Amino acid sequence: MLAVALAPLGFSAALAQDGAAPADANVVALPEVDVISTSPLAGAGGEDRFSFPSQVQTVDAPAFERTRSPSVTDTLQQRVPGVTVTDINGNPFSQDLMYRGFEASPLQGTPQGLAVYQNGMRVNEAFGDTVNWDLIPPQAIARTDIFTANPIFGLNALGGAVSIEMKNGFNWQGFEAQILGGSYGRVSGYFQYGKQVDNFSLYVTADVAHEGGWRYFSPSTLVRAYGDLGYRTQDAEVHFIASGATSNLGVIGPTPVNLLSQSLSSVFTFPQTTQNDMGSIALTGKFDINKNWQIASNFYMRTFRQKHSDGNDADLGACDDPNDGLLCLDEDNFPAVTNPNAFVVRNNHTGQAIPYTDGVVYGTIDRTETHSTTAGVTLQATDNEKLFDHANYFTFGGSVDRGFFNFASTSTLGAIQANLNVVPTGTFAGSNAILQTAGDIGYVPTYLNGTTTYYGIYALDTFNITPEFAATAGARLNIANINTEDASGLNSELTSASNFNRINPVFGLTYKILPWLSAYGGYSEANRAPTPLELDCANPQKPCLLENSLVSDPPLQQVVSHTIEAGLRGTANNVLGGQINWKAGYFHTESTNDIISLASTITGRGYYANVPATLRQGVEASIEYHSGNLMAYANYALVDATYRFTAELASPNNPYADANGNVLVTPGDHIPGIPRQTGKFGLEYSFTSQFKAGADILIVGSQYYVGDNSNLNPQLPLYWTANIHASYQVTENIQVFGLVNNLFNNRNATYGAFFDTTTNAQIANGTSLTDPRTLTPLAPISVYAGVKVNF
């Protein structure tokens, strides 16, 4: 169990694991104080969580250890009510995390609704606000707090914020190494080392993971490193932090059900790979001015590069008269374009039209490259002196995050092979050419530079009217300046300057009814500015590659969320010899000018649009029990996510779309891709001082296919998984362990969408693709075993 304790001057934190074997106790145990940092600066002081008027979920280091997963999202899904993880990519290291129906996703193309921080450093990428969970090593996490809609966390905290606090040599000491191997060629290993010498501390960790993938053509490799050098005195603490990571991920994505009926390992067109590289440095500090006032700071710089390659079907064929003999884009996708010359495909480098070659099944290899560098600073002051002889906790601060990015996108002509591999074979005219069509209606190479500058000023105060009754009020001013510039000289419409600003309030009340029971209620607002990706991909007449290129710049409005929540929570000791922590609450979040992603009639392309209003409301409940030998938990969440307007939305591959490719949405229609209910149950029991075992069950309710905005198609059915694990302490320093994921080999799908059944890929493959549904099935049963050593 995670115990966070503030030293007399408010600087040190420690982890304590109740009931752990000596080999697991590489920490200094201090008395438990349930404190949370209510701002992005994790670990910079904080207040009693029961005085804060909204829900806060905490996942501790032992919870990450129990899953033994290289992926952060696996543990968050297992332990946090309201969190679901969607495997859109078909890759265990690159998954979408959804909380209360808002997402933090690695996919450029997913509207983001959660702010994510690591040691106070914003890790939403500058270009698309994406979150690359594969770059965070789970073994280095001290604790993760998930907040509901809290505007103090700045832009993107529409549905909440994820604040990750990493380990350092003051709160984790010793040496630990682990190696694991098992199903589908997975091999992983890590080490971590922490030490304190007088006023200095050192923490360093590195890990490597490789997996062949349970689906065809989907291998992945991760390499990550993290280090923290600390120094503290009686009234100050400073940390220099460096991290780096590289990953190469096979992100195969959903597959048509006709192919899955042949094999659940089937994939559609490929290659589909993503390479991520990241490096960062940060300097954090905490300084006591006196016994009440503390100043905290964070300076960071972070660089990120992503290369994405995606083999796709292409809507290409022989031109109609008067361009006979040439290659053309399918004219049926753009009935409003009457000039036949606009559909002729050309080699971008030479400008020459590409001849049509009979017998070739045309495809494209779509490539994007994003490079961004961000730098930021946050300064914060806190004061815990009494006000009018009443307890009071006051925080105010400001932040600046400046990002520079370069983006490039091209589509290369290729041929689809019988195994659905898209290759530039060189056997037909125009093979391997970078494509461009006249009128910029289809294939347009894009080269873009730009900057993002985000300013924030915030203040938050919690005042105890009585020892049991507290009031909280605060606000944050967000200012976002986004500038983009066409670097090709051919797409001047991409050059733009956009500015967004807003003041978001928060206020609420908490009341301790009994020592073991408290109530809370509050209201908050949050906003997010459209990302550079969304701003430059908002024209349905000029769609861009989903998660890829940019083509035009109609205006988008910023999204604003309005959240009301209330609930009960408490902690009871000496219940059946242990402690029970529980919470239950209701939330209601209405978002105005919400941004959604819509599909184009061209395969693999889409665009963004504002919609008037959406609503996400529901309930969350959890209970957790700890005793000397037993830990058990149960979580439940209901998320009712609906549209609150009447309009036609593009969904051209939906079986119920009209002749124009649209479906009619009315108030009350459910937002696709958001499961309505989730349930989570688990326990772990120490049978002896050496042997312990446990099990975890996840149940995810039905959801509508992405693209089924009018809710006319059958839903994607409920799915569930059961995982078991066990460990044996061979000696004080050596532990062996094993785990089985998806014990009963449930193969239901976690994600579903639609695709164009007229695709030419079926000609190459010889399979009739008549069903428009595409699915990402659950990973099959997998077995892993390993060894961990501690000193």
Side-chain angles (χ1 to χ4, degrees):
M1 183 178 180
L2 181 69
V4 175
L6 301 182
L9 292 173
F11 298 121
S12 66
L15 303 176
Q17 302 176 38
D18 294 344
D24 289 331
N26 291 335
V27 296
V28 179
L30 296 178
E32 181 180 2
V33 178
D34 203 350
V35 169
I36 56 172
S37 298
T38 54
S39 74
L41 290 182
E47 62 178 289
D48 181 352
R49 75 168 64 240
F50 293 102
S51 296
F52 198 69
S54 66
Q55 198 65 272
V56 184
Q57 312 281 351
T58 296
V59 182
D60 57 17
F64 286 96
E65 180 186 345
R66 287 179 70 247
T67 62
R68 303 190 191 268
S69 171
S71 179
V72 173
T73 53
D74 284 344
T75 304
L76 297 180
Q77 172 167 250
Q78 185 181 95
R79 300 303 296 274
V80 180
V83 166
T84 56
V85 171
T86 305
D87 190 10
I88 298 176
N89 275 327
N91 186 292
F93 307 136
S94 180
Q95 301 183 329
D96 282 35
L97 183 141
M98 184 181 296
Y99 179 56
R100 292 186 172 182
F102 294 92
E103 294 190 70
S105 167
L107 283 173
Q108 291 186 22
T110 301
Q112 310 288 333
L114 299 173
V116 183
Y117 292 86
Q118 179 180 320
N119 283 343
M121 175 177 64
R122 180 181 171 89
V123 296
N124 294 84
E125 304 296 350
F127 182 59
D129 274 346
T130 55
V131 179
N132 293 284
W133 300 101
D134 56 296
L135 304 178
I136 303 173
Q139 75 277 4
I141 296 176
R143 66 181 284 171
T144 297
D145 292 317
I146 298 183
F147 293 82
T148 58
N150 181 352
I152 304 305
F153 284 85
L155 291 170
N156 252 62
L158 297 176
V162 180
S163 180
I164 302 171
E165 182 179 351
M166 309 296 276
K167 295 175 182 175
N168 60 62
F170 292 129
N171 62 27
W172 197 96
Q173 295 149 25
F175 174 83
E176 180 177 281
Q178 175 181 294
I179 186 168
L180 173 149
S183 298
Y184 312 107
R186 177 177 291 190
V187 178
S188 67
Y190 73 80
F191 82 89
Q192 57 179 336
Y193 173 77
K195 187 174 181 63
Q196 178 181 353
V197 178
D198 298 327
N199 292 342
F200 292 90
S201 73
L202 173 68
Y203 175 82
V204 61
T205 184
D207 69 332
V208 178
H210 175 79
E211 180 175 291
W214 65 269
R215 300 178 72 188
Y216 303 138
F217 315 113
S218 59
S220 295
T221 301
L222 302 174
V223 180
R224 300 175 290 207
Y226 178 88
D228 181 301
L229 179 63
Y231 174 78
R232 71 180 179 191
T233 64
Q234 187 177 15
D235 55 5
E237 183 174 334
V238 178
H239 291 267
F240 176 75
I241 302 168
S243 65
T246 182
S247 65
N248 198 311
L249 309 174
V251 287
I252 290 300
T255 298
V257 296
N258 293 122
L259 292 176
L260 292 174
S261 66
Q262 301 174 12
S263 171
L264 288 176
S265 298
S266 296
V267 302
F268 199 33
T269 52
F270 69 96
Q272 295 187 50
T273 60
T274 297
Q275 179 180 334
N276 293 325
D277 298 290
M278 181 278 296
S280 70
I281 56 174
L283 182 65
T284 66
K286 295 178 287 186
F287 310 92
D288 271 1
I289 305 303
N290 55 43
K291 67 178 183 179
N292 300 120
W293 280 91
Q294 182 188 89
I295 292 177
S297 63
N298 179 31
F299 301 85
Y300 77 89
M301 179 174 290
R302 187 172 188 271
T303 182
F304 172 72
R305 183 186 295 273
Q306 181 180 84
K307 294 181 179 179
H308 182 73
S309 179
D310 191 355
N312 283 315
D313 184 25
D315 297 304
L316 300 174
C319 294
D320 297 330
D321 182 72
N323 295 306
D324 293 342
L326 299 179
L327 186 67
C328 271
L329 182 67
D330 187 354
E331 299 180 25
D332 294 338
N333 290 324
F334 295 92
V337 180
T338 57
N339 180 10
N341 294 320
F343 299 99
V344 177
V345 179
R346 301 179 182 276
N347 186 324
N348 180 63
H349 292 309
T350 66
Q352 294 179 334
I354 298 174
Y356 171 74
T357 300
D358 190 31
V360 173
V361 181
Y362 286 97
T364 58
I365 301 176
D366 302 316
R367 296 183 176 92
T368 65
E369 182 170 346
T370 306
H371 181 209
S372 63
T373 299
T374 56
V377 56
T378 301
L379 296 175
Q380 175 180 293
T382 58
D383 173 34
N384 60 7
E385 63 184 320
K386 289 187 175 183
L387 183 64
F388 304 116
D389 205 32
H390 291 255
N392 189 73
Y393 187 83
F394 176 63
T395 301
F396 72 94
S399 65
V400 180
D401 296 274
R402 174 82 164 172
F404 304 84
F405 63 83
N406 312 104
F407 176 83
S409 171
T410 60
S411 292
T412 300
L413 188 64
I416 305 176
Q417 309 300 298
N419 65 351
L420 298 179
N421 187 14
V422 183
V423 295
T425 64
T427 62
F428 59 94
S431 176
N432 208 24
I434 296 178
L435 305 184
Q436 175 136 17
T437 45
D440 295 347
I441 60 172
Y443 299 98
V444 185
T446 301
Y447 304 94
L448 189 75
N449 300 326
T451 61
T452 59
T453 308
Y454 302 141
Y455 303 93
I457 301 174
Y458 58 88
L460 186 71
D461 187 82
T462 297
F463 178 73
N464 284 69
I465 301 170
T466 71
E468 296 81 20
F469 186 40
T472 296
R476 174 165 176 142
L477 167 65
N478 290 324
I479 300 174
N481 299 325
I482 302 171
N483 298 301
T484 60
E485 181 181 0
D486 171 44
S488 69
L490 301 174
N491 301 309
S492 59
E493 69 272 18
L494 296 182
T495 299
S496 66
S498 302
N499 301 288
F500 304 90
N501 59 79
R502 196 173 196 280
I503 297 176
N504 295 311
V506 56
F507 57 86
L509 302 171
T510 61
Y511 183 69
K512 183 169 287 189
I513 303 170
L514 296 168
W516 52 270
L517 174 65
S518 64
Y520 67 90
Y523 173 81
S524 64
E525 297 178 5
N527 76 301
R528 85 167 179 93
T531 67
L533 171 64
E534 292 166 338
L535 286 168
D536 287 326
C537 182
N539 189 338
Q541 298 302 316
K542 297 182 178 182
C544 56
L545 290 167
L546 290 177
E547 77 168 27
N548 292 344
S549 86
L550 315 174
V551 289
S552 59
D553 184 26
L556 287 177
Q557 303 299 314
Q558 65 181 337
V559 187
V560 179
S561 67
H562 311 259
T563 299
I564 300 172
E565 59 182 309
L568 300 170
R569 56 196 173 194
T571 297
N573 296 310
N574 300 318
V575 177
L576 301 176
Q579 182 187 73
I580 291 179
N581 300 307
W582 64 275
K583 55 181 74 75
Y586 166 78
F587 66 91
H588 177 107
T589 300
E590 184 167 351
S591 299
T592 55
N593 291 320
D594 209 350
I595 295 175
I596 63 173
S597 176
L598 297 172
S600 167
T601 54
I602 298 181
T603 302
R605 281 159 168 75
Y607 61 97
Y608 300 93
N610 284 117
V611 295
T614 59
L615 175 64
R616 295 164 176 86
Q617 62 181 341
V619 295
E620 292 176 348
S622 68
I623 185 168
E624 190 168 312
Y625 173 78
H626 289 264
S627 71
N629 296 320
L630 176 66
M631 185 281 294
Y633 68 89
N635 298 328
Y636 171 79
L638 168 68
V639 179
D640 183 39
T642 56
Y643 295 116
R644 312 306 294 174
F645 60 91
T646 299
E648 290 186 338
L649 297 180
S651 184
N653 301 319
N654 188 324
Y656 288 92
D658 62 21
N660 296 318
N662 298 321
V663 295
L664 180 64
V665 171
T666 58
D669 285 338
H670 290 271
I671 301 174
I674 301 177
R676 182 172 170 81
Q677 299 184 77
T678 57
K680 306 170 185 183
F681 311 91
L683 59 84
E684 185 173 75
Y685 187 74
S686 297
F687 293 90
T688 70
S689 59
Q690 288 79 35
F691 176 69
K692 62 182 176 182
D696 302 276
I697 296 174
L698 168 69
I699 304 171
V700 179
S702 58
Q703 58 185 289
Y704 286 98
Y705 283 75
V706 172
D708 188 16
N709 300 296
S710 56
N711 300 169
L712 296 178
N713 294 273
Q715 296 186 62
L716 193 69
L718 171 151
Y719 69 88
W720 66 280
T721 61
N723 302 336
I724 59 173
H725 64 274
S727 64
Y728 184 79
Q729 203 72 36
V730 180
T731 69
E732 182 179 354
N733 304 110
I734 300 176
Q735 180 188 94
V736 295
F737 61 87
L739 57 153
V740 180
N741 292 337
N742 196 5
L743 176 65
F744 298 100
N745 202 32
N746 188 329
R747 302 309 307 280
N748 282 0
T750 70
Y751 175 83
F754 301 118
F755 84 113
D756 182 4
T757 57
T758 65
T759 171
N760 290 329
Q762 57 194 319
I763 300 174
N765 181 256
T767 300
S768 179
L769 304 179
T770 57
D771 193 319
R773 296 174 299 162
T774 65
L775 302 173
T776 303
L778 278 167
I781 182 173
S782 53
V783 182
Y784 307 102
V787 179
K788 184 175 74 173
V789 297
N790 297 78
F791 297 100

